[in-house]
Amino acid sequence: MSKRLKRKAAVLVIAELICLIVLGVFLDNMQVSLSAREQAHELQKKISPLKEAVEEAKIEAGEHTKAYDVMYQSKAKSLAYMIQEEVDEEVTDTLMGEYRNLLNVNNVLILDKSGNVEAKAEASRADFTRSRYNQLRTVFQDQEPSEPFEVDVDGQIFRYYGADIDGNTMAVIEQDPAELKGLLEDTSTWKSILRNVSVSTTGYAFAVSAKDYTFLYHPDENLTGQDALDAGIHTEDLEDGNEAWVEINGEKLLCSVAKLDDAYVLCGIPEKEIKSSCNVTVAVVLCVFFAVITLVVAYAIFIMKDQEMRQESIESSYKKVGPFWYNQLAAAKSTVIAVVGLLCVLAVSLYMQTLFSLSQRSMSNTQHVEELQATIQRYEEDVNLLKEQYNTRYLNKCRCAAYILKEKPELRNREDLAKLSQVLDVEFINYFDSTGTIVATNSFDLGFKLSQDEEDQSYEFNRLLAGAEYLVQDARPNDVLGEYSQYVGVRILDEEGLPDGFVQICVNPENLEEALKNLKIDSILDGVQVGSNGFAFALNKEDNTFAWYPNEKYIGGAAVDYGIKESQIHDGFTDYLTIGTERYYASCLETEDYYIYACVPENEIASNGLVMALISTGVSLVFLLIMGALISFRGRKFAEEDKDKDKQDGGMITVTMPDGNVKRTQDVSSRWSNATLAWEEKTPEQKMTTLLKGLLSIYAVILCAVYLLNDRIFGSKSMFAYIISGNWEKGLNIFAFTGCIFIICLVTAVTILIQRILRLLSRISGAQGETISRLLSNFVKYASVIILLYYCLALLGVDTAALLTSAGIIGLMISLGAQKLVSDIIAGLFIIFEGEFRVGDIVMLGDWRGTVVEIGIRTTKIEEAGGNIKVVNNSSISGVINMTKKYSFAACDFGIEYGESLERVEYILKKELPRIKERVPSILDGPFYKGVTELGDSSVNIKIVAQCKEKDRIQLMRDLNREVKLIFDKYEINIPFPQVVLNQPSEFRKATEWQKQCADKFNEEQKELSKQLEEEQ
């Protein structure tokens, strides 16, 4: 390579690096900007439902507080009722202790109007005579339970409930509201509202006080209560509806802000998540652009170096353009690479944008359905908690009723039971005797007897007569009205401690009924928004009908009738599906009763993908044009001293392709050897192919590393992790295609590694070892192809097990009618894979010699010198002689009469053979005299050979025959022919001593010069 070309190559490499850096920075900024814009839109959609969640939390907190207070007000009324009705003879502190245990409260007290304690379960630190407790004294004014209130007594908070006894005294419940606080903590605080809000894959929601800018809630508990301004948030960022980059303790987040009540709620996605996902896309596009621009630059350098070594091509390759010389050949060939490369950049950019968008959407959809499942589970947990709480409360009411009715039998009548029901806040009370018959009630079931049928609702209460202490029956719809009712029973023991009936209460669990309504799938899915215009729907598992859908006309209809396929109804489905006339990208999650789908319209997927792909391609085009100008123009043509005189062709030969183009290819004799061509022996095209293989190998290794070390490199929630996890629908989709790429790279890398090891082993082993190594290498190659085919078909949704099962049937079909066709196809594949011959090779097939013009899937076409084409079925090709070698030779036999002096003939050939080469340009080396080949019947036969290209061999044989005949005529050397001798033959000229010496020397020289052709004789 000349110094001028070396300088130009250095400039091109530097320019290439600059282009890569600029393109990388530009694409990264563009990608992050577009991604941030999409994420900001998603954040707005994520934060909107929080406003409703806050309102619902307020309502729920109010309902919980009301239900809690009603329960304890009822207990205060129950205490007052027991004192009024003199259930026990004397009111003492000991009795108050029993009542406290019965009512399951912290403390019970009896106070007069002034607040003096008349009886208590335990001493209270509160001074009820003070005005701060006047709320209790309201019971004397309206005879209704007092409104609850809380007082901090020496650092201990108590909640108080009062009920009038007789106008002068009142019953008071002193209760630690820890249970209420815990319930509100789980339902109505910022923590309870925001802790389950998931934002993208690693984002989260948090709240900042609008009064003092402290964190009201943050996933990092250490930040809760801390100053948000000190953590890095700016006050100007905290505006309702604002979108801003917010920094918290060094972590940068893209946030959407909403002001809810007295707080700012922010949903944020860490910058590193946005950048990490963008970086993957940008890195892949950069890798493709790097490969393209490297190939363009390298190919141009290879061509220009080849031009330096082949001066004859320079004059036709350069054109004068103003003050510059334009390299037409380098420009034309590198332009082809650049155009194909740009198409690759466009395709890969669009592919990565689509892959990125689909991966993000898949993870987002999966996240949505998981949130829905968590919502259902949370509802179920809330319902179970409510059931447990209400069961405890109702059981306490029933125990109070049983205690009162046992201690005061005269109250077992309709009127008193109705009053007691009102005090206990229950529907009605039943008193059963030991036979299971109602003997007292304020309902209309007097005389009702427990059923002995296990299917009936009342049968379960027979357990109380058998000795069970209590029974809390699950709430269920009333058989008549359909309203929820719940029955609770507590046994009554006689004086001997034996069951003597039981007391049963009936309650209407309104709050529990409301919770059960909220658990219905339509209440959960209604209002769920996925993306901008997406939604969630559910299918019943029993019959695959729509349990809920935004369009009510679909509800109750079969999913398959509206376009959803049976194969798309299963847990983990992630792919496109059609509903009605619309196409959506959906993800499915299976619950106990439903298949829940989160889906977004198809037009929302990769909405900016095409724009980003076009931008990437456009910028790449600009850089390639710059590189093209640097490649194509130079200040002057090559000088004579720029030429490289030491060009070595090595194992390369020139062949003429079917379209007339002349190309260089590898000598057939070296194609299957373990030796590779030296770099200098390769053509620019072969060098570029080698470079391309090297780049692809590097990328394959990188993909293998990504596949094997994905969690360590990108984390468990990355785009690649999602693809590698296989949690997507197997079929013809981009994820399956990407999975196939990963598997192909992995298996190919392993196969090449094994083949390299086998090649090294073959070099240090004997002939048998090399034979085994080559056999194993071929086995590994074909085994890897079969494995890849099988696995990739599985990823693409093909039932490979069924495919193998059907192999026997296919074999039978082949044996019956398509055997020949399949044989041709398989033989064609083996010809291509094994590389037995290529298009442009000169081959001998039987007695047919010609150039291979096409290797088809079923037939091969060979063209002879006359233009005739022979079409041969691939399965019929055998015993092929591939004559595409670097050098061939033309061999001609000539006969001279026995009377001629052989030494004289050899002396003449020594002088004339070099002149033949001057007259026949197709002779590459020689001609050479090979000596006497045969003593024939009428002649002494000698052989002359010349080295040439295979395509010139036939014509050269004819030219040699002509030239030797002319020489024999010139020197009157007779060539025998069939004749009848009627007279004595003429005298032949004899060789002189000088001619004999020259002939001997000529023989020795020719043997030495042509000994490399000995094996070809």
Side-chain angles (χ1 to χ4, degrees), residues 40 51 131 191 314 618 657 1017:
K51 298 178 181 179
S131 58
K191 180 179 180 180
I314 295 178
M657 303 304 287
Q1017 296 302 315

Side-chain angles (χ1 to χ4, degrees), residues 412-414 417 429-432 437-442 446:
R412 300 174 189 172
N413 59 74
R414 179 179 293 275
L417 289 178
I429 303 174
N430 297 325
Y431 191 94
F432 286 80
T437 304
I438 294 180
V439 295
T441 182
N442 60 322
L446 187 62

Side-chain angles (χ1 to χ4, degrees), residues 19 289 293 296 335 338 342 618-633:
C19 290
F289 179 74
I293 197 169
V296 169
T335 298
L342 279 176
V619 178
S620 301
L621 174 61
V622 172
F623 289 140
L624 286 174
L625 289 175
I626 295 172
M627 297 301 296
L630 293 175
I631 288 169
S632 304
F633 291 95

Side-chain angles (χ1 to χ4, degrees), residues 234 330 354 459 843 934:
H234 301 289
T354 305
Y459 173 81
V843 298
E934 183 184 10

Side-chain angles (χ1 to χ4, degrees), residues 405-423:
L405 294 178
K406 179 184 177 182
E407 299 297 327
K408 194 84 171 179
E410 54 268 30
L411 297 178
R412 300 174 189 172
N413 59 74
R414 179 179 293 275
E415 291 76 15
D416 288 322
L417 289 178
K419 182 178 179 182
L420 181 58
S421 296
Q422 186 176 7
V423 169

Side-chain angles (χ1 to χ4, degrees), residues 612-666:
M612 191 63 194
L614 292 175
I615 291 174
S616 302
T617 308
V619 178
S620 301
L621 174 61
V622 172
F623 289 140
L624 286 174
L625 289 175
I626 295 172
M627 297 301 296
L630 293 175
I631 288 169
S632 304
F633 291 95
R634 62 178 294 165
R636 63 180 180 85
K637 292 196 299 180
F638 289 112
E640 184 66 25
E641 61 271 16
D642 290 338
K643 290 178 58 179
D644 188 345
K645 305 291 185 178
D646 298 324
K647 172 67 177 177
Q648 299 294 328
D649 285 339
M652 300 305 300
I653 60 173
T654 302
V655 297
T656 303
M657 303 304 287
D659 58 1
N661 288 327
V662 176
K663 297 184 181 295
R664 295 179 64 77
T665 187
Q666 191 175 356

